[in-house]
């Protein structure tokens, strides 16, 4: 029997081992989901929302256990890991509130009166949603797709990353304990081939994928000719711009946290920064000092503020980007020797800040997904916007400024799904979460997100023949 193994980045031990789903188990899950969905669709939205809230409460009660599991599965420092459950609750509860809002995104769309007719548009669930979730924020990325799909009346099959299999199990357990009907929400441990076959062979009407561009292309290829609804969140190379009028101390703290939290393994983390030339030297000096305060260590130790990357190969990928940039003239401001555990061939990697960088360097154009930040000076807004848009990605962009009107004007010129002012690396569930260019397509969360999990169905009744 084929097995899935989660190798913990803490010590390279096998933390979780699970058998991969058999063909029978896959077909049984699809059959259960297909059979349960029509009845679930008939459950009033208020009851669906109540079940979601009950499941969230159960997950919150297990916060300490789930945090420890996150820490061991993907390496986030234990002092931060529990925050993911808080974020899950925020997103799930917001979507539950939106779902049952009178006149909200799941309510019938009423049209102006027309004598002799009744006309309205109803939002119909798509059927079964197949959610493929990644390891970097295993609960947050999953909840973005799972909870809105369930609230909209769909059934859900969740395939989680091989790095975070317990997260799929815990989510489903919580919903079952909350009273969700059998078959509405299930998980499957799958390899890439079986996940692809589920898309190709039918049985699902929607696919939500979060991961790499190559993975998104594979999902689109598998869905070709199936006329499926496909949502893709494929990461980014998100920029920050610190204007001349920014609060520098605040901007430095925010950008550094946005770049190095979760060891830089965030789709919307800051990977490149553009700082007005009048502030540039001071920004670099302050940021370097702040980065040196990070403590690289085992994530199961409370004092650790920077954990390992998910695996050694991921860390070496980022190291290669940095080494190549330095060979091309970049200046590295952090001495890796100051971080005892930093070692090539290890998942434990020192943070790095680079200057004298440009967009011909991979570290400024290719997604890093690690603890490195490249910083460039700019002379004005126009130069900053041009550099921020000079990317194949477009998930988020952050502006630091004391002038909201100027920031809004800049935001209108940015090719991105979300524009932040004086913050970064955050997802507000009341807002649409979406990307442009190679950051993907589709939308999750907010009222708009429900539109991608339902289809419009028009009712046109002539009251008298």
């Amino acid at each position: 029997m084929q097995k899935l193994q989660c190798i913990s980045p803490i010590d390279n031990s096998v933390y979780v081992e699970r058998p991969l789903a058999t063909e029978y188990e896959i077909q049984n899950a699809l059959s259960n989901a297909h059979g349960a969905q029509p009845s679930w669709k008939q459950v009033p939205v208020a009851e669906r929302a109540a079940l979601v809230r009950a499941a969230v409460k159960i997950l919150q009660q297990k916060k300490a256990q789930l945090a420890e599991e996150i820490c061991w599965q993907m390496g986030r420092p234990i002092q931060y890991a529990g925050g993911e459950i808080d974020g899950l609750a925020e997103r799930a509860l917001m979507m539950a509130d939106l779902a049952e809002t009178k006149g909200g995104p799941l309510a019938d769309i009423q049209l102006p009166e027309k004598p002799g007719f009744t006309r309205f548009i109803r939002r119909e669930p798509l059927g079964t949603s197949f959610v493929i979730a990644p390891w970097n924020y295993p609960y947050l990325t999953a909840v973005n797709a799972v909870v809105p799909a369930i609230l909209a009346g769909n059934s859900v099959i969740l395939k989680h990353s091989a790095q975070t299999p317990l997260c799929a199990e815990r989510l489903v357990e919580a919903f079952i304990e909350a009273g969700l009907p059998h078959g509405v929400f299930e998980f499957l441990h799958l390899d890439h081939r079986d996940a692809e076959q589920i898309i190709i062979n039918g049985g699902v009407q929607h696919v939500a994928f979060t991961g790499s561009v190559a993975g998104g292309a594979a999902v689109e290829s598998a869905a070709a000719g199936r006329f499926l609804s496909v949502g893709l969140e494929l990461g980014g190379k998100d920029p920050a711009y610190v204007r001349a009028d920014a609060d520098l101390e605040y901007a430095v703290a925010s950008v550094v946290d946005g770049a190095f939290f979760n060891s830089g393994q965030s789709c919307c983390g800051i990977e490149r920064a553009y700082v007005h030339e009048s502030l540039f030297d001071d920004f670099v000096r302050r940021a370097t000092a702040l980065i040196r305060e990070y403590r690289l260590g085992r994530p199961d130790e409370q004092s650790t503020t920077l954990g390992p990357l998910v695996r050694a190969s991921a860390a070496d990928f980022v190291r290669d980007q940095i080494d190549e940039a330095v060979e091309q003239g970049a200046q590295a401001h952090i001495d890796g020797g100051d971080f005892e555990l930093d070692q090539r061939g290890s998942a434990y990697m020192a943070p790095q800040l680079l200057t004298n960088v440009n967009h011909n360097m991979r570290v400024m154009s290719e997604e890093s997904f690690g603890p490195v930040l490249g910083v460039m000076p700019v002379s004005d807004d126009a130069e900053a916007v041009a550099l921020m848009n000079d990317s194949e990605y477009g998930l988020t962009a952050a502006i630091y400024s004391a002038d909201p009107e100027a920031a809004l004007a800049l935001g209108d010129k940015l090719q991105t799904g979300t524009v932040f002012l004086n913050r970064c690396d955050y997802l507000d569930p009341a807002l649409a979460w979406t990307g442009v260019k190679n950051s993907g397509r589709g939308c999750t969360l907010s009222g708009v997100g429900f539109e991608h999990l339902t289809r419009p169905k028009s009712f046109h009744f002539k009251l008298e023949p």
Side-chain angles (χ1 to χ4, degrees):
M1 178 180 291
Q2 288 185 301
K3 291 188 176 181
L4 166 159
Q5 283 190 334
C6 165
I7 307 298
S8 175
I10 293 180
D11 58 5
N12 291 320
S13 64
V14 177
Y15 181 65
V16 181
E17 188 172 70
R18 292 287 189 271
L20 292 174
T22 64
E23 180 62 28
Y24 171 79
E25 289 169 333
I26 293 170
Q27 293 306 316
N28 190 53
L30 289 166
S31 177
N32 289 341
H34 179 72
Q37 193 274 327
S39 297
W40 179 242
K41 166 188 168 181
Q42 300 303 321
V43 173
V45 172
E47 292 183 28
R48 297 181 213 155
L51 276 166
V52 166
R53 294 188 183 99
V56 167
K57 185 176 181 179
I58 291 166
L59 289 164
Q60 288 176 306
Q61 291 168 348
K62 298 178 179 180
K63 178 178 173 178
Q65 172 196 342
L66 302 182
E68 182 179 353
E69 291 174 353
I70 291 170
C71 174
W72 276 89
Q73 286 176 101
M74 56 73 62
R76 186 174 310 136
I78 190 63
Q79 66 166 298
Y80 306 131
E84 182 155 354
I85 307 307
D86 298 332
L88 176 152
E90 179 189 25
R91 296 182 189 185
L93 296 178
M94 170 62 74
M95 294 308 290
D97 289 347
L98 286 172
E100 61 177 344
T101 299
K102 185 176 181 181
L106 294 180
D108 291 346
I109 301 171
Q110 302 296 336
L111 303 178
E113 287 189 14
K114 183 178 180 179
F117 292 88
T118 296
R119 303 175 303 158
F120 62 92
I121 303 168
R122 179 157 290 169
R123 303 301 311 188
E124 287 274 304
L126 298 175
T128 298
S129 177
F130 183 35
V131 176
I132 304 173
W135 51 264
N136 63 319
Y137 284 94
Y139 285 102
L140 291 180
T141 52
V143 76
N144 288 357
V146 169
V147 166
I150 288 173
L151 287 166
N154 299 287
S155 56
V156 175
I157 294 175
L158 172 61
K159 176 224 175 293
H160 226 297
S161 166
Q163 195 68 38
T164 46
L166 291 180
C167 299
E169 296 178 13
R170 301 295 181 247
L171 281 169
V172 172
E173 288 169 1
F175 274 87
I176 290 174
E177 186 178 341
L180 193 71
H182 174 71
V184 174
F185 183 24
E186 302 176 281
F187 71 85
L188 288 170
H189 295 313
L190 303 167
D191 60 20
H192 292 311
R193 178 191 171 279
D194 283 337
E196 184 179 59
Q197 289 301 310
I198 285 177
I199 301 170
I200 292 172
N201 294 335
V204 298
Q205 289 70 49
H206 175 260
V207 181
F209 173 83
T210 304
S212 68
V213 173
V219 168
E220 284 206 323
S221 178
R226 288 271 292 111
F227 310 113
L228 295 178
S229 171
V230 176
L232 305 171
E233 190 210 311
L234 307 179
K237 189 74 180 173
D238 289 6
Y241 171 36
V242 181
R243 296 183 82 232
D245 65 346
D247 180 326
L248 184 60
E249 182 178 4
Y250 174 85
V252 168
S254 180
V255 171
V256 168
D257 181 66
F260 296 99
F261 188 79
N262 205 37
S263 299
Q265 299 170 122
S266 174
C267 296
C268 60
I270 298 300
E271 294 208 359
R272 50 198 175 105
Y274 307 99
V275 181
H276 190 270
E277 57 193 10
S278 65
L279 302 178
F280 183 79
D281 290 342
D282 203 7
F283 179 96
V284 172
R285 178 181 59 81
R286 290 172 182 247
T288 300
L290 188 56
I291 293 166
R292 286 175 178 152
E293 294 178 7
Y294 279 91
R295 185 185 184 281
L296 177 65
R298 284 178 58 114
D300 57 338
E301 297 176 357
Q302 283 290 341
S303 59
T304 293
T305 56
L306 189 71
L309 273 71
V310 69
R311 60 183 67 89
S313 59
D316 281 346
F317 174 83
V318 183
R319 290 185 178 105
D320 288 344
Q321 286 186 331
I322 294 169
D323 291 346
E324 183 180 292
V326 171
E327 289 174 2
Q328 295 171 341
Q331 180 182 355
H333 290 260
I334 305 296
D335 182 355
D338 294 338
F339 295 82
E340 184 179 348
L341 291 183
D342 177 52
Q343 184 178 352
R344 183 169 289 276
S346 161
Y348 291 87
M349 177 186 169
Q352 188 56 268
L353 183 143
L354 299 172
T355 57
N356 294 339
V357 290
N358 60 64
H359 282 209
N360 293 321
M361 298 175 180
R362 286 195 302 140
V363 76
M364 292 299 286
S365 61
E366 182 178 77
E367 188 170 27
S368 299
F369 225 60
V372 60
L373 176 66
V375 187
M376 294 175 61
V378 293
S379 59
D380 55 27
D381 289 348
E383 184 180 8
V385 168
L387 288 168
M388 293 170 88
N389 284 340
D390 183 26
S391 174
E392 65 181 275
Y393 296 103
L395 188 57
T396 78
I399 301 168
Y400 292 84
S401 172
D403 188 341
E405 290 187 7
L408 181 58
L410 292 175
D412 279 337
K413 298 174 184 177
L414 292 174
Q415 299 162 1
T416 187
T418 296
V419 179
F420 293 111
L421 173 62
N422 296 327
R423 76 177 313 172
C424 65
D425 192 26
Y426 176 75
L427 194 163
D428 184 335
L431 293 170
W433 187 243
T434 185
V436 300
K437 299 189 278 190
N438 279 0
S439 285
R441 64 183 177 89
C443 171
T444 58
L445 301 180
S446 78
V448 179
F450 283 116
E451 296 176 12
H452 295 259
L453 292 161
T454 57
R455 61 179 177 84
K457 184 175 184 178
S458 295
F459 286 79
H460 189 170
F461 290 5
K462 187 176 182 180
L463 301 181
E464 295 183 8

